[in-house]
Structure formats: structure tokens, C-alpha cells
Amino acid sequence: MKHIQTVVLIAPLLLATAAAGDNQVATLRGVPPLDQDGTASQIPEVINSDIRKVRNYPDQPPLIPHKIDNYQIDLNANKCLTCHSRTAIEISQAPMVSVTHFMNRAGQTLATVSPRRFFCTQCHVVQHDVRPLVQNDFADVDHVLEFVRSNQKAAD
């Protein structure tokens, strides 16, 4: 019994040592060693279709479906609001910012966008035309609900 316990305890250590001796580390960085600079790849193009993307979960912030290069978003100005503000949407036909963006921390509705919601790119991002860097098995809420319903029907 003692020998089996010893083998069970030592086996992971031996496997870890063998993997470390292999000196192959999985990385997204690429081939160059850590002490050398590699060549930078081309920055991929932003998807600029102006077509709204489906949200993967209920509270997901909407994605930005257009380029925002050189947009000024700072304490003095917010370029996003030139199209997405309450007064600009009739002309721009862009969706208005959510009513939640007009609420302060206490839940009071303000006349303008709340300072805590003023910096759009904290939550909203553009999409690039690239293949994923890692495998992603994410399933949106609709697929999860469909899976649950099908399993309930099978159990009944």
C-alpha cells in the first residue's frame, strides 16, 4: 500500500519535470525567445458594416459596428454623442444611448449622460476581422435554454 501511495505522489512530479525539460511553453506570443523582439503583425481591419451584432447575453453592452479611429472621448468631448445623443438620433438614425446612461449612482435620472457612463469605450468595443486566438466554446443564453429544454423533454 505504501508503494502505491509513493508512486501516486511521485508520478505528477516526474511528469512535470519531463515537461519542463522539454522547454516548450504554449504561448500566443509566437516563436522569438523572450529576450528578443519579434516582428509585429499587421493590425487587422475593423469590421465597418454598421450592422448591429446579436448580443450573447442579456446585459452585454452593444458592440460598435463601425470604425472609431480618431474619436475624441475625454473629459472635454465625446464624439460618440454627436450621433447617439438624444437630440442627434433623428438626423443620424443611430440608436440612442440607453436610458441607463442617464442615471446616476443613486438611480436618479439626469438631463444628460451620467459622468460614470460618459467614456463609451470602457464597455463598448469595435470588432476586428480576425480568427480567434484560442478555441472558444461559449454558448449564448438561447443555446443554453434550448439545451435545457431538450434535456427536460428527454427526461419526461
Side-chain angles (χ1 to χ4, degrees):
M1 185 69 176
K2 270 189 171 182
H3 295 293
I4 294 173
Q5 288 177 340
T6 306
V7 170
V8 169
L9 292 173
I10 292 177
L13 181 62
L14 292 174
L15 291 172
T17 305
D22 208 7
N23 211 11
Q24 296 294 322
V25 178
T27 177
L28 295 175
R29 185 176 185 274
V31 181
L34 290 174
D35 61 345
Q36 297 174 9
D37 291 333
T39 56
S41 58
Q42 185 71 21
I43 296 174
E45 287 293 317
V46 172
I47 296 174
N48 195 32
S49 64
D50 278 340
I51 297 172
R52 290 190 210 178
K53 301 283 185 187
V54 175
R55 298 184 200 190
N56 292 312
Y57 53 93
D59 290 330
Q60 176 186 348
L63 301 173
I64 301 171
H66 57 80
K67 291 183 179 184
I68 59 168
D69 298 343
N70 301 318
Y71 272 36
Q72 182 179 353
I73 304 173
D74 57 29
L75 290 174
N76 300 318
N78 183 327
K79 175 72 173 157
C80 301
L81 293 177
T82 59
C83 295
H84 295 278
S85 69
R86 185 182 52 78
T87 57
I89 61 170
E90 185 176 355
I91 296 167
S92 69
Q93 293 298 300
M96 186 180 96
V97 294
S98 169
V99 293
T100 61
H101 289 52
F102 291 89
M103 294 180 190
N104 65 11
R105 289 176 192 255
Q108 297 172 322
T109 303
L110 307 173
T112 59
V113 173
S114 170
R116 69 188 190 121
R117 298 290 187 107
F118 189 75
F119 299 99
C120 307
T121 53
Q122 283 182 307
C123 300
H124 304 279
V125 295
V126 296
Q127 295 295 286
H128 293 272
D129 189 18
V130 296
R131 68 176 180 80
L133 295 172
V134 295
Q135 182 180 347
N136 184 351
D137 295 331
F138 177 82
D140 71 10
V141 69
D142 293 325
H143 288 97
V144 172
L145 291 173
E146 183 179 313
F147 177 78
V148 169
R149 284 186 200 115
S150 66
N151 284 344
Q152 284 176 344
K153 286 178 184 176
D156 291 341

